[in-house]
Amino acid sequence: MRIGELAARAGTTTRTLRYYESRGLLPARRSGNGYRTYDEDDLKLLRQIRTLQDFGFDLEETRPFVECLRAGHPEGDTCPASLAVYRRKLDELDVLIGELEAVRAEIGVRLATAGGEPPLCELGGQKL
């Protein structure tokens, strides 16, 4: 398929595909007439990249998943490098969750000292 069809099927733009190509995430194959050509495997790569980006992964973090797929694995998250990225992302999320919980607790304290009712903790229904 050509670049326009791939972009449409992947729900992205041809500009994005050319960018991915420049970053080495998408192969740069050309037909005899010079048009970029793609196949279903390329669509699978794009879907993997877009799913990970929807989860908050930056583009470079998708590289191990793309390489895993290119190596012939049926899924991009079955290789050790991909699993390592998952672990790092979970660690980052745990830190962010902890920071948000601390901010929430501080706002609850400030609300209580300002004369308002402290909010209920949504997890346990308890007041902070």
Side-chain angles (χ1 to χ4, degrees):
M1 73 187 92
R2 291 188 17 199
I3 193 168
E5 181 182 350
L6 180 63
R9 289 184 63 191
T12 191
T13 65
T14 58
R15 183 178 181 193
T16 298
L17 298 184
R18 286 190 292 273
Y19 178 69
Y20 290 170
E21 181 182 305
S22 74
R23 298 290 305 268
L25 293 170
L26 194 60
R29 292 184 303 274
R30 302 278 180 158
S31 64
N33 59 9
Y35 290 120
R36 289 173 170 89
T37 61
Y38 303 96
D39 59 24
E40 293 298 319
D41 288 338
D42 299 320
L43 181 60
K44 189 173 185 175
L45 290 176
L46 284 172
R47 287 184 174 149
Q48 178 78 78
I49 292 168
R50 294 194 40 97
T51 297
L52 292 169
Q53 287 190 306
D54 287 347
F55 291 161
F57 289 69
D58 66 39
L59 191 56
E60 195 55 37
E61 288 174 316
T62 69
R63 188 172 300 279
F65 298 86
V66 168
E67 289 171 356
C68 189
L69 286 170
R70 282 188 182 158
H73 295 272
E75 300 297 327
D77 59 3
T78 57
C79 295
S82 303
L83 298 173
V85 172
Y86 272 160
R87 286 184 192 97
R88 278 195 308 272
K89 185 56 78 175
L90 280 177
D91 289 343
E92 288 175 20
L93 290 170
D94 288 341
V95 167
L96 289 172
I97 289 168
E99 291 171 357
L100 288 171
E101 287 173 341
V103 168
R104 186 184 193 290
E106 179 62 26
I107 291 171
V109 167
R110 289 178 185 231
L111 178 61
T113 59
E117 282 291 315
L120 292 177
C121 173
E122 292 189 23
L123 297 176
Q126 304 163 354
K127 291 188 177 190
L128 294 177

